[in-house]
Amino acid sequence: MVKSIGFKKINLAVFISGKGSNLKNLIDFTLTKKSKFQIRFIISNNAKAKGLKFAKKFKIQKKIISFQNTRKAESQILKIIKKNKINLICLAGFMKILSKNFIKNFKGKIINIHPSLLPKYKGLNTHERVIKNKEKFSGCTVHFVNSKLDSGKIILQKKIKIKKNDTSKSLAKKILKQEHILYKKALNKIYSKL
Ligand code: GRF
């Protein structure tokens, strides 16, 4: 349990679909002494998401929610969000698209990390496309989620140089490392006035 340090912590829910390295990074961040954040819930649409192991390891509540029926999934999520007084939803490798209606209800309260220099390379397979197009730079972006894919207001961005011998794999690895740094900075930036 989180020790009280005199003020209420900001409650995060992290949504994942896969490995969960960004989730793990956020967990470590929230567990630092001075952190004003706590992860109250982990949600995954994928029962096989490797990142779910962190829920068990760090004793964080989790729920696997099937998105076969988006409306049903989102109403389940809504209940969790309300019950756990979630202040901010952090998408971290979450591969489902939330409905316009859901996003409208949480305007300014959902953020996402994307492995490109948005607005360039929205969507999937960013690194492959970046390498194919012989770009000189790529990077990652943390942004607010709006109803258009990867298009919400940018919170922070990190640019990195692509080397001649970089492949989509080596680029993904380099950028993921930067994602971990950027996500923490973005959270601090959003709540910098607290
Ligand atoms: C990250 O590159 C993220 O930007 C993208 O999916 C990947 C997820 O990685 N949306 P992980 O599950 O956090 O390790």
Side-chain angles (χ1 to χ4, degrees):
M1 274 282 104
V2 179
K3 277 188 212 144
S4 163
I5 50 170
F7 61 88
K8 265 197 194 156
K9 295 225 172 193
I10 297 154
N11 291 329
L12 309 178
V14 183
F15 288 23
I16 62 166
S17 300
K19 251 189 352 231
S21 72
N22 276 293
L23 164 66
K24 170 66 169 56
N25 165 65
L26 289 177
I27 293 174
D28 290 345
F29 174 56
T30 58
L31 292 180
T32 54
K33 250 189 180 168
K34 285 185 189 156
S35 172
K36 49 190 171 193
F37 304 96
Q38 64 180 341
I39 300 177
R40 289 273 292 168
F41 230 100
I42 295 166
I43 286 178
S44 174
N45 63 302
N46 172 14
K48 291 188 182 139
K50 291 215 173 87
L52 284 169
K53 68 175 182 243
F54 299 120
K56 196 169 175 204
K57 188 167 176 201
F58 294 94
K59 298 190 174 58
I60 301 169
Q61 308 179 81
K62 67 154 197 290
K63 180 102 182 155
I64 295 148
I65 293 184
S66 158
F67 265 71
Q68 280 220 333
N69 178 334
T70 304
R71 253 176 82 170
K72 214 168 130 193
E74 290 183 345
S75 94
Q76 277 178 276
I77 293 176
L78 213 64
K79 278 188 197 138
I80 292 173
I81 300 293
K82 281 195 181 147
K83 197 170 160 212
N84 293 279
K85 301 191 166 48
I86 299 301
N87 303 110
L88 187 75
I89 296 174
C90 300
L91 307 183
F94 185 63
M95 301 303 281
K96 290 288 169 190
I97 294 176
L98 296 162
S99 75
K100 283 188 180 142
N101 196 40
F102 184 89
I103 294 166
K104 215 172 80 193
N105 276 318
F106 277 98
K107 213 168 162 244
K109 290 181 186 158
I110 311 175
I111 62 172
N112 180 42
I113 184 137
H114 185 76
S116 80
L117 291 174
L118 289 175
K120 288 177 101 178
Y121 299 99
K122 296 173 184 173
L124 296 174
N125 306 318
T126 51
H127 307 305
E128 285 80 357
R129 288 185 282 141
V130 161
I131 294 287
K132 205 172 155 207
N133 289 346
K134 300 192 183 353
E135 294 282 0
K136 290 199 167 61
F137 297 93
S138 188
C140 48
T141 307
V142 179
H143 64 94
F144 286 107
V145 171
N146 68 8
S147 56
K148 285 193 198 130
L149 184 71
D150 299 328
S151 298
K153 188 169 175 250
I154 291 172
I155 301 160
L156 277 180
Q157 206 160 50
K158 172 74 184 178
K159 188 175 179 180
I160 66 153
K161 201 168 177 353
I162 301 175
K163 290 202 177 123
K164 275 215 176 86
N165 58 354
D166 263 326
T167 60
S168 59
K169 219 172 148 190
S170 67
L171 187 62
K173 206 171 154 190
K174 265 193 236 173
I175 290 180
L176 193 61
K177 221 170 150 184
Q178 294 304 323
E179 288 181 37
H180 296 165
I181 300 167
L182 198 72
Y183 220 142
K184 297 184 272 199
K185 281 192 182 163
L187 282 174
N188 280 336
K189 185 174 176 192
I190 298 172
Y191 292 97
S192 60
K193 287 186 193 92
L194 288 184

